[in-house]
């Protein structure tokens, strides 16, 4: 319990001599010890509480005296060791924590009952609000995904709305607050903004109705309204945001403009524009001419001048599109929504006929002179940059370990979700070749010469991925040769249909049925009744990924190797790992061939402008032997081949009599 006292007549005299004044000095109470010499040109009105004075060590000028200098304080509580300097209008209705620096601010006010951006409705995807989603401090990509996309289940949405409304009601207040250690400098107006501990606001423009969470940074001309900036986020350099959530570790800067958008963990959005964007984890856009409008993305990289249209001038801006995990767009790509693109597709050209390529993941998607969308299935699997992307995403996770993570992000390089899409692509290519008319509704064309190649690459990659996971299980399992091999590798059983269908919930990868059993249905029954319970259920599902992955491998085993896992004999296992070694060699060869294109004559034409072309090329680009990407592919092959050798050696030790 804080103990305050009235000022003594001597303290009031000292402050008045320093040009301080109060509407009523009886309304100003202080904590002891109190040093009145730390106040100059301070004006007080309403109920004011002042903390102890001392040294503020976090000032950009080093240790400086705390206190209030040239500021009007109205109806506020000021913590210990706070320094407030040059407030041109006033600070009103705020509780300011200890060790805060507030310098050169026009005004900071709380105008009345507010929830500081919690509960703001964001018209994500459909600009007309058909998938409108409320934001709040602890919203995750997964909660937003369910709320936005599961509108077919009105009972679920109603329950979620009740859960969120209860959370938002707990954030209502008639007083703003600034957390301990926050820094607020050189900023114009701040209105109805909650500023959490260790947040930094420097040289911002106008901030209205929002929350800036711990260690978030807002600086250099930012204008934001109806927003939440989560922990470790950075919003800077004239970003313009309206009805926007910015997730943990995300960076929005350099004039980027966003309206009614959700931006989740580790996104990087620079220079361009977004409207009704659902940016799942690791969405990237770095170009001034890029417009992301009405799209759902995750692990997405937008090329320069990527442009999307969401209106056919009939019923308004109601259209949106979906690019599954890992897609990229090339420079100048233009898409007329609605459209869907399968995971890890590289999309270039103009697409105005609403293509749906979701059945063919890892594809090159282009357009021809007749406006058709041309799909080359599986070709991205041979792209040298794929492994670099998959390895790079975990390294670019900027979320600080000091705070609980909101978004569940699965970085498994080749999860059951990936493997399932390969099976789908392989099966669909067989059907496509025999019954092309059935696929006309997809508005895509697959050239004949890409049919067989796509099937081959899908098949090899399935062998590689499933075989690698089986080898790892074999190496990690203590094998009892007196027992059947299969049940030891796959000890957990689950209904096949439950294990086979996996979904990517904005970064969380799980069996669809498990999402319903552990999250959706408990919300509907009331078993999950608050935000903490909802987050806990999602993170529990994420934590059990390895168990479900084992179930998936068991369920898919017969599809790959034409034998039930419980009937797997040692000789069959040896054939499987030999087949895996062949697929490893094939895929490495394809990837290496793709790399070596960068050393061909076509890529040398800009070298040696006034001298030796070959020497200049080698000096700048190097050789295949020294190139880091080529070397990483070789190292990847050698490390995987070493696993194969280790598995063979273990097999020979265990089954020496075979």
């Amino acid at each position: 319990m804080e103990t305050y006292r009235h000022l003594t007549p001597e303290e009031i005299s000292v402050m008045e001599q320093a040009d301080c004044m109060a509407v009523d000095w009886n309304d100003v109470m202080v904590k002891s010890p109190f040093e009145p010499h730390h106040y100059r040109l301070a004006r007080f009105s309403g109920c004011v509480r002042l903390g102890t004075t001392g040294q503020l060590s976090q000032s950009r000028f080093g240790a400086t005296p705390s206190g209030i200098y040239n500021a009007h304080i109205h109806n506020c509580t000021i913590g210990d060791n706070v320094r407030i300097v040059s407030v041109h209008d006033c600070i009103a209705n705020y509780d300011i924590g200890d060790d805060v620096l507030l310098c050169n601010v026009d005004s900071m006010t709380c105008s009345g009952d507010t929830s500081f951006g919690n509960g703001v409705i964001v018209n994500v995807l459909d600009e007309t609000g058909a998938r409108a989603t409320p934001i709040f401090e602890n919203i995750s990509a997964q909660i937003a995904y369910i709320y936005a996309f599961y509108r077919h289940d009105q009972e679920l949405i109603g329950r979620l709305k009740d859960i969120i409304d209860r959370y938002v009601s707990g954030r209502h207040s008639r007083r703003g607050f600034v957390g301990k250690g926050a820094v607020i400098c050189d900023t114009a107006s701040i209105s109805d903004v909650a500023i959490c501990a260790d947040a930094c606001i420097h040289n911002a423009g106008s901030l209205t109705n929002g929350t800036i969470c711990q260690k978030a940074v807002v600086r250099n001309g930012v204008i934001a309204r109806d927003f939440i900036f989560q922990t470790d986020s950075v919003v800077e350099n004239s970003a313009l945001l309206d009805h926007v959530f910015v997730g943990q570790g995300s960076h929005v800067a350099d004039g980027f403009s966003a309206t009614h958008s959700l931006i989740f963990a580790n996104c990087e959005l620079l220079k361009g524009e977004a409207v009704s964007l659902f940016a799942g984890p690791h969405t990237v856009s770095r170009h001034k001419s890029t417009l992301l409008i009405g799209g759902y993305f995750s692990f997405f990289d937008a090329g320069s001048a990527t442009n999307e249209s969401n209106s056919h001038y009939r019923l308004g801006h109601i259209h949106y599109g979906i690019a599954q995990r890992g897609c990229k767009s090339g420079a100048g790509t233009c898409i007329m929504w609605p459209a869907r693109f399968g995971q890890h597709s590289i999309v270039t050209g103009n697409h105005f006929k609403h293509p749906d390529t979701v059945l063919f993941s890892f594809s090159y998607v282009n357009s021809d002179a007749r406006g058709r969308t041309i799909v080359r299935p599986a070709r991205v699997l041979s792209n040298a940059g794929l492994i670099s992307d998959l390895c790079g995403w975990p390294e670019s996770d900027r979320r600080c370990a000091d705070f609980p993570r909101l978004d569940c992000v699965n970085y498994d390089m080749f999860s059951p979700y990936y493997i399932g899409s390969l099976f789908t692509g392989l099966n669909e290519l067989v059907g496509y070749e025999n019954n092309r008319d059935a696929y006309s509704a997809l508005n895509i064309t697959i050239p004949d010469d890409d049919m067989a190649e796509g099937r081959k690459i899908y098949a090899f990659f399935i062998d590689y991925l499933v075989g690698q996971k089986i080898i790892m299980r074999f190496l990690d399992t203590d094998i009892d040769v007196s027992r059947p091999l299969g049940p030891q590798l796959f000890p957990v059983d689950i209904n096949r249909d439950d294990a086979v269908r996996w979904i990517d919930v904005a970064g969380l990868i799980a069996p669809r049925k498990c999402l319903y059993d552990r999250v959706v249905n408990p919300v509907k029954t009331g078993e999950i009744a608050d935000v903490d319970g909802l987050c806990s259920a999602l993170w529990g599902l994420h934590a059990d990924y390895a168990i479900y992955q084992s179930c998936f491998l068991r369920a898919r085993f017969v599809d790959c190797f034409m034998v039930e896992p419980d009937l797997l004999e040692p000789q069959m296992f040896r054939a499987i790992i030999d087949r895996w070694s062949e697929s490893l060699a094939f895929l490495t060869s394809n990837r290496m061939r793709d790399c070596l294109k960068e050393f061909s004559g076509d890529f040398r034409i800009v070298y040696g402008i006034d001298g030796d072309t070959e020497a200049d090329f080698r000096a700048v680009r190097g050789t295949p032997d020294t190139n880091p990407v080529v070397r990483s592919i070789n190292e990847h092959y050698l490390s995987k081949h070493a696993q194969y050798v280790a598995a063979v050696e273990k097999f020979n030790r265990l089954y020496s009599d075979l």
Side-chain angles (χ1 to χ4, degrees):
M1 185 73 177
E2 300 283 5
T3 301
Y4 292 93
R5 63 173 176 82
H6 289 288
L7 290 163
T8 66
E10 292 79 9
E11 290 169 334
I12 293 174
S13 176
V14 170
M15 295 176 72
E16 287 181 336
Q17 289 177 27
D19 294 321
C20 298
M21 61 172 291
V23 173
D24 186 344
W25 284 109
N26 289 321
D27 291 334
V28 180
M29 301 188 71
V30 300
K31 290 168 62 177
S32 295
F34 180 77
E35 177 50 68
H37 293 95
H38 286 226
Y39 295 83
R40 185 176 299 112
L41 290 171
R43 298 173 297 283
F44 303 105
S45 60
C47 181
V48 176
R49 300 291 182 266
L50 302 176
T52 60
T53 50
Q55 295 289 315
L56 180 70
S57 60
Q58 67 159 308
S59 169
R60 52 185 169 170
F61 305 113
T64 56
S66 62
I68 300 176
Y69 308 88
N70 190 25
H72 178 191
I73 308 299
H74 174 75
N75 198 33
C76 292
T77 297
I78 311 298
D80 299 339
N81 300 323
V82 172
R83 180 176 174 84
I84 299 175
V85 181
S86 298
V87 177
H88 307 299
D89 187 353
C90 72
I91 300 174
N93 305 319
Y94 261 84
D95 297 322
I96 298 177
D98 301 339
D99 304 309
V100 167
L101 172 63
L102 200 153
C103 174
N104 194 26
V105 174
D106 282 355
S107 66
M108 189 170 77
T109 61
C110 185
S111 59
D113 188 37
T114 178
S115 56
F116 308 104
N118 290 279
V120 164
I121 301 301
V122 173
N123 294 334
V124 70
L125 299 172
D126 182 332
E127 282 192 66
T128 65
R131 296 190 184 274
T133 300
I135 61 174
F136 55 96
E137 283 178 55
N138 283 354
I139 192 172
S140 67
Q142 287 72 46
I143 295 173
Y145 179 98
I146 294 171
Y147 200 99
F149 283 110
Y150 284 37
R151 293 305 171 94
H152 56 281
D153 192 335
Q154 287 299 304
E155 181 183 2
L156 169 66
I157 299 303
R159 292 281 190 174
L160 281 176
K161 184 179 184 302
D162 290 342
I163 289 172
I164 295 170
D165 286 347
R166 284 195 294 274
Y167 181 95
V168 171
S169 67
R171 293 298 185 269
H172 276 274
S173 177
R174 301 186 66 84
R175 294 172 70 88
F177 69 89
V178 179
K180 180 178 180 179
V183 176
I184 307 166
C185 291
D186 304 324
T187 293
S189 66
I190 298 173
S191 177
D192 299 332
V193 177
I195 302 165
C196 299
D198 299 314
C200 177
I201 303 173
H202 183 262
N203 195 31
S206 172
L207 304 175
T208 306
N209 190 34
T211 296
I212 300 171
C213 295
Q214 283 185 273
K215 291 190 176 180
V217 176
V218 183
R219 60 191 173 203
N220 299 342
V222 170
I223 297 176
R225 181 179 65 181
D226 298 327
F227 65 91
I228 293 176
F229 299 156
Q230 253 301 333
T231 55
D232 296 311
S233 61
V234 177
V235 182
E236 61 181 345
N237 300 346
S238 301
L240 180 61
L241 307 181
D242 184 8
H243 289 71
V244 172
F245 176 89
V246 178
Q248 293 174 305
S250 285
H251 184 202
V252 182
D254 299 346
F256 191 87
S257 169
T259 303
H260 284 276
S261 295
L262 303 176
I263 300 165
F264 291 103
N266 299 312
C267 291
E268 186 176 17
L269 301 175
L270 314 177
K271 301 181 178 68
E273 181 180 357
V275 179
S276 296
L277 169 67
F278 191 126
H282 293 277
T283 296
V284 174
S285 173
R286 299 188 178 99
H287 305 285
K288 183 181 293 187
S289 54
T290 298
L291 170 62
L292 303 178
I293 183 168
Y296 164 71
F297 307 101
S298 66
F299 297 85
F300 176 77
D301 194 343
S304 63
T306 294
N307 191 286
E308 294 141 7
S309 175
N310 66 339
S311 175
H312 291 272
Y313 300 99
R314 298 188 188 102
L315 304 179
H317 297 80
I318 62 174
H319 302 288
Y320 60 91
I322 295 173
Q324 292 184 334
R325 173 188 284 233
C327 286
K328 295 176 180 288
S329 63
T333 300
C334 188
I335 304 168
M336 177 70 78
W337 296 137
R340 287 199 305 175
F341 299 98
Q343 57 183 289
H344 285 279
S345 293
I346 297 178
V347 183
T348 58
N350 300 321
H351 303 274
F352 301 139
K353 297 183 178 180
H354 316 301
D356 183 358
T357 77
V358 75
L359 297 176
F360 304 104
S361 59
F362 297 92
S363 296
Y364 286 131
V365 181
N366 205 338
S367 59
D368 65 8
R370 296 164 57 185
R372 300 180 303 172
T373 293
I374 308 299
V375 178
R376 303 179 66 198
R379 293 304 183 103
V380 173
L381 292 168
S382 298
N383 189 291
L386 176 62
I387 298 299
S388 297
D389 283 345
L390 295 172
C391 292
W393 284 321
E395 296 173 1
S396 63
D397 192 338
R398 295 182 291 269
R399 294 175 293 175
C400 178
D402 294 343
F403 308 112
R405 294 184 173 182
L406 298 179
D407 296 348
C408 305
V409 184
N410 188 316
Y411 290 112
D412 187 6
M413 290 177 63
F414 290 104
S415 67
Y417 177 67
Y418 288 143
I419 299 171
S421 75
L422 301 181
F423 275 106
T424 298
L426 178 61
N427 295 333
E428 293 294 337
L429 278 181
V430 174
Y432 192 98
E433 189 171 31
N434 296 328
N435 188 17
R436 299 189 184 195
D437 292 341
Y439 293 87
S440 60
L442 300 179
N443 299 317
I444 61 175
T445 299
I446 302 178
D448 291 340
D449 57 355
D450 286 300
M451 291 282 188
E453 187 67 16
R455 287 199 305 271
K456 181 172 71 173
I457 297 175
Y458 278 141
F460 267 106
F461 226 87
I462 290 170
D463 284 348
Y464 170 72
L465 295 179
V466 178
Q468 181 186 38
K469 294 184 180 299
I470 291 172
I471 281 180
M472 294 306 298
R473 296 193 68 83
F474 179 72
L475 291 173
D476 293 339
T477 303
D478 292 329
I479 302 297
D480 182 353
V481 295
S482 65
R483 296 170 52 209
L485 178 60
Q488 296 183 72
L489 295 179
F490 304 101
V492 181
D493 200 1
I494 192 171
N495 183 282
R496 175 183 167 80
D497 293 337
D498 295 347
V500 166
R501 185 176 179 186
W502 284 59
I503 55 176
D504 179 3
V505 185
L508 167 66
I509 296 176
R512 181 180 181 275
K513 185 177 186 300
C514 294
L515 176 71
Y516 272 78
D517 289 346
R518 298 182 60 170
V519 181
V520 172
N521 292 334
V523 168
K524 292 167 67 173
T525 61
E527 181 181 345
I528 295 175
D530 56 28
V531 168
D532 288 343
L534 181 56
C535 293
S536 178
L538 288 164
W539 274 97
L541 183 60
H542 177 67
D544 288 340
Y545 169 75
I547 297 173
Y548 294 129
Q549 182 188 60
S550 177
C551 298
F552 173 86
L553 293 173
R554 182 184 182 93
R556 280 295 192 182
F557 192 90
V558 68
D559 296 331
C560 290
F561 307 114
M562 307 302 292
V563 61
E564 292 291 342
D566 288 345
L567 302 178
L568 177 65
E569 298 290 340
Q571 298 93 329
M572 298 178 187
F573 175 78
R574 177 57 195 269
I576 287 171
I577 63 175
D578 288 341
R579 180 168 152 184
W580 177 81
S581 178
E582 294 172 5
S583 67
L584 171 65
F586 170 80
L587 294 170
T588 302
S589 174
N590 276 14
R591 208 168 286 131
M592 189 64 70
R593 188 161 54 248
D594 189 53
C595 266
L596 294 179
K597 291 176 182 177
E598 292 290 334
F599 296 89
S600 67
D602 289 344
F603 292 93
R604 297 171 184 251
I605 58 176
V606 294
Y607 292 88
I609 187 171
D610 288 321
D612 188 324
T613 298
E614 181 64 22
D616 189 37
F617 183 87
R618 286 178 178 272
V620 174
R621 184 69 62 83
T623 66
D625 292 336
T626 61
N627 184 271
V629 176
V630 178
R631 291 174 63 180
S632 69
I633 292 174
N634 280 325
E635 290 167 1
H636 176 79
Y637 171 78
L638 292 174
S639 67
K640 297 303 177 185
H641 185 71
Q643 292 176 359
Y644 166 73
V645 171
V648 170
E649 291 176 349
K650 180 176 180 178
F651 180 89
N652 290 338
R653 287 196 308 271
L654 293 171
Y655 302 101
S656 57
D657 56 333
L658 294 180

